[in-house]
Amino acid sequence: MAESASPSLPNVVERATFQGELDTLREREKAHTREGSAIAAARRRLPMVEVDATLRLTGPDGSVTLLDAFEGRRQLIAYYFMWHHDHGAAEQCEGCTFYTNQVTELAYLQSRDITYAVLCQGPYEQSRRYRDFMGWTMPWYSAQDSAKDLLAGRQVGMFHVVCYVRDGDRVFETYWTTGRGVEAMDNNYALMDLTVYGRQETWEDSPNGWPQQWPVDSANLRVDGRPTSQWSRLTAGRSDDLDAKP
């Protein structure tokens, strides 16, 4: 028999009852995984559209092309980082900071002939200093001058993940996503979703009494007025002055 727990906790049951409920849920999880695999298979069968391989980016060596950003590999995953012009580090995009902060190991992608790079929608020098302040090491470019062409038909100034493939010197776009689609980069929310309280955000379907203190706005990714992960960088003594001389 279930034992009533605190209003903010599930009922307490015997191990066998718990396992039975979990087994039922596991069937739904397996169906979800299989559907995800089927969607990925459909994604691999999408047509593609050619993109001008000579569109200019700015990187550590100055002006380069979109083709150069492949670094010789066959595929490119580009994250289009939003940029709040004329704002300091504390006012930069908390969502882009959250997602970019989780892409740390590129060796596995590179072993499959895939380059991952950030194409920032702001100026190179300021945004590169932001990258350095955060301690990121992935390839970083400014796409400021080519964003309208690279994101043709989409909202410039919004974060996007765009996938490309090259055939020799020709570049093709094969997929793009934004909004919750970029959660593919995330592990924090994925781990939160495994816990009893989930993300603790107000939109979630949770039992009455469950903590849901986080509204779905910039506050859920900020602490004391800054993107949450910036605080550890400041504690480590890094400068967040985006106007400092290189």
Side-chain angles (χ1 to χ4, degrees):
M1 175 178 288
E3 175 187 337
S4 198
S6 135
S8 61
L9 288 170
N11 288 330
V12 180
V13 296
E14 297 295 327
R15 166 70 58 180
T17 302
F18 167 72
Q19 190 61 48
E21 294 281 352
L22 181 58
D23 289 345
T24 299
L25 179 64
R26 192 78 76 213
E27 290 305 311
R28 295 179 63 188
E29 290 179 334
K30 289 178 179 178
H32 177 71
T33 299
R34 288 191 291 269
E35 179 62 12
S37 295
I39 291 171
R43 190 180 294 119
R44 290 192 291 272
R45 289 165 172 81
L46 287 171
M48 61 186 185
V49 61
E50 188 162 10
V51 179
D52 183 354
T54 68
L55 287 171
R56 308 306 298 185
L57 307 172
T58 303
D61 299 319
S63 181
V64 297
T65 66
L66 177 63
L67 182 63
D68 292 328
F70 279 73
E71 297 183 344
R73 299 185 182 90
R74 186 71 186 274
Q75 297 186 87
L76 169 67
I77 300 173
Y79 180 80
Y80 284 81
F81 196 107
M82 294 169 61
W83 190 257
H84 300 317
H85 292 273
D86 301 321
H87 286 74
E91 288 77 44
Q92 291 306 320
C93 178
E94 59 284 331
C96 289
T97 301
F98 174 77
Y99 288 111
T100 302
N101 208 43
Q102 298 181 64
V103 182
T104 57
E105 179 54 73
L106 302 181
Y108 297 102
L109 292 172
Q110 293 172 357
S111 74
R112 306 295 173 93
D113 209 17
I114 300 169
T115 293
Y116 174 88
V118 171
L119 305 189
C120 185
Q121 299 176 63
Y124 177 73
E125 284 301 331
Q126 277 195 333
S127 67
R128 189 270 305 165
R129 283 192 283 273
Y130 187 69
R131 184 201 69 164
D132 293 349
F133 163 60
M134 293 303 300
W136 300 328
T137 58
M138 73 281 288
W140 189 280
Y141 302 92
S142 169
Q144 183 174 236
D145 295 336
S146 298
K148 289 183 180 179
D149 293 316
L150 288 164
L151 297 174
R154 286 155 286 184
Q155 182 180 347
V156 177
M158 175 65 72
F159 55 87
H160 300 80
V161 172
V162 183
C163 297
Y164 303 95
V165 66
R166 70 179 182 89
D167 184 16
D169 291 339
R170 300 174 70 190
V171 172
F172 301 87
E173 183 179 330
T174 62
Y175 179 74
W176 71 273
T177 188
T178 191
R180 289 191 66 185
V182 303
E183 287 186 10
M185 301 167 61
D186 163 64
N187 58 65
N188 283 287
Y189 274 153
L191 289 171
M192 290 180 201
D193 286 343
L194 301 180
T195 70
V196 69
Y197 294 141
R199 305 181 188 196
Q200 302 176 48
E201 294 178 348
T202 53
W203 64 273
E204 288 181 292
D205 180 2
S206 294
N208 290 334
W210 260 229
Q212 288 184 295
Q213 64 183 9
W214 297 99
V216 185
D217 58 17
S218 62
N220 64 330
L221 298 175
R222 286 179 171 267
V223 169
D224 295 334
R226 283 181 175 269
T228 305
S229 55
Q230 288 189 6
W231 289 107
S232 62
R233 278 69 179 177
L234 291 169
T235 299
R238 297 181 191 166
S239 171
D240 69 345
D241 182 359
L242 303 186
D243 294 315
K245 297 297 182 184

XYZ file of all heavy atoms in Angstrom, residues 78-113:
301
model
N 27.066 24.303 -37.301
C 27.297 25.697 -36.905
C 26.228 26.140 -35.922
O 25.027 25.967 -36.180
C 27.289 26.603 -38.127
N 26.663 26.695 -34.803
C 25.742 27.315 -33.859
C 25.814 28.816 -34.056
O 26.881 29.426 -33.913
C 26.095 26.964 -32.407
C 25.128 27.600 -31.428
C 23.883 27.020 -31.210
C 25.430 28.775 -30.757
C 22.970 27.600 -30.340
C 24.536 29.362 -29.882
C 23.299 28.777 -29.675
O 22.400 29.358 -28.825
N 24.674 29.430 -34.379
C 24.610 30.870 -34.613
C 24.300 31.575 -33.288
O 23.164 31.595 -32.836
C 23.560 31.189 -35.684
C 24.045 30.871 -37.074
C 24.013 29.574 -37.568
C 24.574 31.865 -37.895
C 24.489 29.268 -38.841
C 25.047 31.576 -39.174
C 25.001 30.274 -39.631
O 25.469 29.993 -40.894
N 25.349 32.097 -32.694
C 25.286 32.711 -31.366
C 24.704 34.118 -31.482
O 25.207 34.950 -32.227
C 26.709 32.760 -30.792
C 26.812 33.002 -29.315
C 27.176 31.973 -28.467
C 26.579 34.253 -28.783
C 27.308 32.191 -27.106
C 26.694 34.478 -27.422
C 27.056 33.443 -26.577
N 23.627 34.372 -30.749
C 23.051 35.723 -30.717
C 24.051 36.698 -30.096
O 24.885 36.305 -29.280
C 21.759 35.718 -29.902
C 20.641 34.902 -30.514
S 19.248 34.668 -29.373
C 18.746 36.369 -29.080
N 23.936 37.965 -30.473
C 24.829 38.962 -29.887
C 24.057 40.243 -29.632
O 23.368 40.756 -30.508
C 26.010 39.257 -30.806
C 27.051 40.096 -30.138
C 27.292 41.430 -30.303
C 27.969 39.652 -29.133
N 28.309 41.840 -29.485
C 28.749 40.762 -28.748
C 28.213 38.412 -28.538
C 29.745 40.675 -27.783
C 29.210 38.322 -27.573
C 29.969 39.453 -27.204
N 24.162 40.739 -28.401
C 23.509 41.990 -28.031
C 24.531 43.115 -28.197
O 25.421 43.296 -27.363
C 22.982 41.915 -26.602
C 21.968 40.817 -26.400
N 20.963 40.562 -27.302
C 21.812 39.916 -25.398
C 20.218 39.558 -26.868
N 20.719 39.143 -25.723
N 24.415 43.819 -29.291
C 25.386 44.847 -29.647
C 25.441 45.953 -28.587
O 24.423 46.355 -28.025
C 25.035 45.450 -31.006
C 25.218 44.489 -32.134
N 26.429 44.313 -32.778
C 24.355 43.615 -32.711
C 26.291 43.390 -33.714
N 25.035 42.954 -33.692
N 26.653 46.436 -28.333
C 26.898 47.528 -27.395
C 26.465 47.200 -25.973
O 26.138 48.089 -25.189
C 26.191 48.812 -27.871
C 26.661 49.257 -29.249
O 27.871 49.144 -29.530
O 25.814 49.680 -30.054
N 26.463 45.911 -25.643
C 26.174 45.482 -24.275
C 27.380 44.720 -23.727
O 28.127 44.086 -24.471
C 24.936 44.583 -24.224
C 23.644 45.317 -24.415
N 23.237 45.803 -25.636
C 22.667 45.656 -23.534
C 22.067 46.402 -25.519
N 21.708 46.329 -24.244
N 27.530 44.775 -22.415
C 28.631 44.075 -21.767
C 28.353 42.593 -21.621
O 27.303 42.085 -22.020
N 29.298 41.902 -21.001
C 29.192 40.449 -20.856
C 27.945 40.039 -20.077
O 27.286 39.056 -20.416
C 30.445 39.907 -20.170
N 27.623 40.776 -19.021
C 26.477 40.404 -18.182
C 25.161 40.450 -18.937
O 24.200 39.777 -18.562
C 26.405 41.320 -16.960
N 25.113 41.232 -20.032
C 23.875 41.366 -20.796
C 23.856 40.506 -22.051
O 22.921 40.599 -22.855
C 23.655 42.829 -21.195
C 23.252 43.745 -20.047
C 24.433 44.120 -19.167
O 25.509 44.451 -19.723
O 24.295 44.048 -17.929
N 24.861 39.679 -22.244
C 24.846 38.811 -23.419
C 23.862 37.654 -23.230
O 23.386 37.398 -22.124
C 26.254 38.305 -23.732
C 27.193 39.388 -24.237
C 26.632 40.152 -25.436
O 26.020 39.562 -26.332
N 26.835 41.468 -25.454
N 23.561 36.980 -24.308
C 22.465 36.007 -24.333
C 22.701 34.854 -23.353
O 23.660 34.100 -23.491
C 22.282 35.464 -25.745
S 20.988 34.211 -25.869
N 21.792 34.747 -22.389
C 21.915 33.682 -21.400
C 21.627 32.301 -22.009
O 22.222 31.306 -21.621
C 20.970 33.927 -20.218
C 19.491 34.010 -20.553
C 19.089 35.325 -21.183
O 19.725 36.353 -20.896
O 18.107 35.317 -21.962
N 20.732 32.252 -23.009
C 20.440 30.972 -23.650
C 21.613 30.467 -24.466
O 21.997 29.291 -24.385
N 22.203 31.356 -25.275
C 23.376 30.954 -26.073
C 24.534 30.559 -25.168
O 25.278 29.618 -25.466
C 23.787 32.098 -26.999
S 22.634 32.385 -28.359
N 24.688 31.279 -24.063
C 25.739 30.942 -23.108
C 25.492 29.568 -22.508
O 26.406 28.740 -22.385
C 25.813 32.007 -22.005
O 26.081 33.284 -22.601
C 26.892 31.687 -20.991
N 24.249 29.297 -22.141
C 23.866 28.010 -21.556
C 24.187 26.857 -22.503
O 24.818 25.871 -22.113
C 22.373 28.045 -21.238
C 21.783 26.748 -20.766
C 21.979 26.306 -19.469
C 20.997 25.979 -21.613
C 21.410 25.113 -19.028
C 20.432 24.789 -21.178
C 20.632 24.353 -19.883
N 23.770 26.976 -23.750
C 23.960 25.873 -24.695
C 25.421 25.739 -25.133
O 25.970 24.640 -25.186
C 23.042 26.037 -25.901
C 21.605 25.756 -25.557
C 20.651 26.765 -25.534
C 21.203 24.467 -25.217
C 19.339 26.501 -25.196
C 19.891 24.199 -24.866
C 18.951 25.220 -24.857
O 17.654 24.951 -24.504
N 26.063 26.867 -25.452
C 27.446 26.812 -25.913
C 28.353 26.245 -24.832
O 29.316 25.522 -25.123
C 27.922 28.214 -26.327
O 27.059 28.704 -27.357
C 29.354 28.191 -26.846
N 28.032 26.526 -23.576
C 28.866 26.078 -22.468
C 28.903 24.564 -22.346
O 29.793 24.015 -21.691
C 28.344 26.696 -21.165
C 29.427 26.862 -20.137
O 30.530 27.277 -20.443
N 29.116 26.527 -18.895
N 27.961 23.880 -22.976
C 27.878 22.428 -22.814
C 28.593 21.658 -23.927
O 28.712 20.437 -23.851
C 26.413 22.011 -22.738
C 25.738 22.638 -21.518
C 24.296 22.240 -21.385
O 23.982 21.075 -21.181
N 23.402 23.192 -21.511
N 29.047 22.372 -24.963
C 29.765 21.706 -26.058
C 31.255 21.852 -25.775
O 31.867 22.860 -26.109
C 29.394 22.319 -27.418
C 30.101 21.579 -28.553
C 27.881 22.272 -27.628
N 31.824 20.855 -25.131
C 33.206 20.984 -24.659
C 34.172 20.014 -25.331
O 35.339 20.334 -25.499
C 33.274 20.774 -23.138
O 32.719 19.484 -22.815
C 32.488 21.853 -22.399
N 33.734 18.840 -25.699
C 34.626 17.833 -26.286
C 34.239 17.617 -27.745
O 33.150 17.145 -28.042
C 34.509 16.517 -25.518
C 35.391 15.400 -26.078
C 36.848 15.824 -26.185
O 37.517 15.932 -25.143
O 37.295 16.039 -27.332
N 35.143 18.001 -28.634
C 34.857 17.935 -30.069
C 35.500 16.730 -30.747
O 35.235 16.482 -31.924
C 35.341 19.216 -30.753
C 34.745 20.524 -30.227
C 35.298 21.699 -31.016
C 33.221 20.499 -30.298
N 36.312 15.971 -30.028
C 37.064 14.877 -30.657
C 36.142 13.830 -31.279
O 36.446 13.272 -32.342
C 37.992 14.220 -29.643
N 35.011 13.558 -30.627
C 34.116 12.529 -31.154
C 33.462 12.983 -32.448
O 33.317 12.204 -33.405
C 33.057 12.164 -30.104
C 33.657 11.576 -28.856
C 33.799 12.341 -27.699
C 34.108 10.258 -28.835
C 34.368 11.807 -26.551
C 34.681 9.713 -27.687
C 34.805 10.496 -26.555
O 35.380 9.967 -25.427
N 33.052 14.260 -32.497
C 32.505 14.791 -33.743
C 33.563 14.766 -34.835
O 33.303 14.323 -35.969
C 31.997 16.222 -33.531
C 30.771 16.402 -32.648
C 30.522 17.894 -32.397
C 29.540 15.773 -33.280
N 34.740 15.215 -34.502
C 35.804 15.289 -35.503
C 36.194 13.905 -36.004
O 36.549 13.740 -37.184
C 37.009 16.026 -34.912
C 36.711 17.492 -34.639
C 37.812 18.199 -33.868
O 38.790 17.579 -33.470
N 37.656 19.490 -33.644
N 36.104 12.882 -35.154
C 36.430 11.532 -35.584
C 35.440 11.005 -36.616
O 35.746 10.057 -37.352
C 36.475 10.581 -34.379
O 35.169 10.295 -33.905
N 34.234 11.633 -36.680
C 33.231 11.269 -37.684
C 33.223 12.264 -38.842
O 32.248 12.368 -39.572
C 31.852 11.188 -37.040
C 31.745 10.273 -35.833
C 31.973 8.809 -36.148
N 32.011 7.997 -34.945
C 30.951 7.358 -34.415
N 29.779 7.451 -34.998
N 31.087 6.640 -33.319
N 34.323 13.010 -38.986
C 34.491 13.942 -40.105
C 33.523 15.121 -40.012
O 33.029 15.622 -41.023
C 34.300 13.205 -41.441
C 35.107 13.836 -42.576
O 36.034 14.616 -42.289
O 34.803 13.548 -43.748
